[in-house]
Amino acid sequence: LKTLYFVSNRSGLYDIWRYHNNTAERMTNIKANMIERPILNLQQDKIAYLSRSNSQTEMTLFDLINKVELKRIELPKKAFLLSWSNDQQYIYFNRFEDDQYNIYTLDITTSKTKKILLNAAGIAQESTDGKSLFYGDMINRQLMQRMASGEVRVLFKIPENEKGLITH
């Protein structure tokens, strides 16, 4: 909570930087044309981010302690990272396909993906105790909670007069 990780092109190309104790330090030396949607794990020792080309989207896992790339995984073109699982075994991401957003898990070890929610995007975050998952219901414009038992609850519905705040 006392450290800020951010993307900057201070060197002319993009890298991930850390601001801590009033000092900015470059953490990566990838010199990318673009770094998109970096997400930090709960332990704050790894970061995942996307880079895109015309033909593919690639997710990179990076070790912030040792400052080394751990793995690259190709993802579907219209994928966006959301969060890490509490156990660091999965990354949640959403993907736009068939005119809707869906949420998937990505197994970091096997690189396999699994669709877990339809018409859901924007947020996928495990509860602190790991017993539920919070996510955005894109059709009904509401924040949902899915319990480990399978029970689903509406936590918040965006009022009609504010629906322009969420766009596809």
Side-chain angles (χ1 to χ4, degrees), residues 34-53:
M34 179 188 74
I35 296 174
E36 184 180 314
R37 190 76 176 124
I39 55 171
L40 186 63
N41 67 350
L42 293 174
Q43 294 75 11
Q44 299 185 11
D45 62 348
K46 293 181 188 79
I47 200 164
Y49 60 87
L50 296 178
S51 54
R52 298 183 195 270
S53 67

Side-chain angles (χ1 to χ4, degrees), residues 75-92:
L75 291 178
K77 192 171 181 181
K78 294 182 178 180
F80 300 92
L81 301 182
L82 298 172
S83 67
W84 289 75
S85 63
N86 292 352
D87 63 8
Q88 296 189 77
Q89 300 301 308
Y90 299 93
I91 288 182
Y92 294 98

Side-chain angles (χ1 to χ4, degrees), residues 8-94:
S8 176
N9 66 346
R10 290 177 176 206
S11 62
L13 294 168
Y14 289 93
D15 277 298
I16 295 173
W17 291 69
R18 175 177 67 187
Y19 183 78
H20 181 73
N21 291 333
N22 296 321
T23 304
E25 173 188 8
R26 185 169 60 188
M27 300 302 293
T28 63
N29 193 27
I30 55 177
K31 298 178 180 169
N33 289 328
M34 179 188 74
I35 296 174
E36 184 180 314
R37 190 76 176 124
I39 55 171
L40 186 63
N41 67 350
L42 293 174
Q43 294 75 11
Q44 299 185 11
D45 62 348
K46 293 181 188 79
I47 200 164
Y49 60 87
L50 296 178
S51 54
R52 298 183 195 270
S53 67
N54 291 334
S55 60
Q56 70 178 32
T57 297
E58 193 170 66
M59 186 196 68
T60 302
L61 297 175
F62 192 84
D63 180 327
L64 292 166
I65 304 302
N66 299 309
K67 297 183 182 179
V68 296
E69 182 181 300
L70 298 173
K71 190 173 194 175
R72 288 183 186 214
I73 300 171
E74 190 172 327
L75 291 178
K77 192 171 181 181
K78 294 182 178 180
F80 300 92
L81 301 182
L82 298 172
S83 67
W84 289 75
S85 63
N86 292 352
D87 63 8
Q88 296 189 77
Q89 300 301 308
Y90 299 93
I91 288 182
Y92 294 98
F93 70 94
N94 65 255

Side-chain angles (χ1 to χ4, degrees), residues 51-164:
S51 54
R52 298 183 195 270
S53 67
N54 291 334
S55 60
Q56 70 178 32
T57 297
E58 193 170 66
M59 186 196 68
T60 302
L61 297 175
F62 192 84
D63 180 327
L64 292 166
I65 304 302
N66 299 309
K67 297 183 182 179
V68 296
E69 182 181 300
L70 298 173
K71 190 173 194 175
R72 288 183 186 214
I73 300 171
E74 190 172 327
L75 291 178
K77 192 171 181 181
K78 294 182 178 180
F80 300 92
L81 301 182
L82 298 172
S83 67
W84 289 75
S85 63
N86 292 352
D87 63 8
Q88 296 189 77
Q89 300 301 308
Y90 299 93
I91 288 182
Y92 294 98
F93 70 94
N94 65 255
R95 176 181 178 197
F96 188 71
E97 58 190 348
D98 301 324
D99 294 324
Q100 70 181 19
Y101 286 94
N102 300 311
I103 294 179
Y104 286 76
T105 55
L106 166 65
D107 184 310
I108 294 172
T109 305
T110 66
S111 302
K112 292 183 180 179
T113 63
K114 179 181 178 184
K115 189 185 305 186
I116 61 166
L117 292 165
L118 300 175
N119 286 312
I123 181 176
Q125 182 67 53
E126 291 182 2
S127 60
T128 309
D129 62 9
K131 294 183 179 179
S132 64
L133 179 70
F134 302 99
Y135 66 94
D137 173 345
M138 298 301 285
I139 289 179
N140 299 303
R141 302 185 189 294
Q142 51 198 17
L143 179 62
M144 306 295 291
Q145 180 180 20
R146 185 179 72 183
M147 311 300 204
S149 66
E151 176 190 353
V152 176
R153 298 184 342 188
V154 176
L155 297 178
F156 178 78
K157 182 162 180 69
I158 295 177
E160 273 303 307
N161 61 352
E162 297 179 27
K163 70 179 182 180

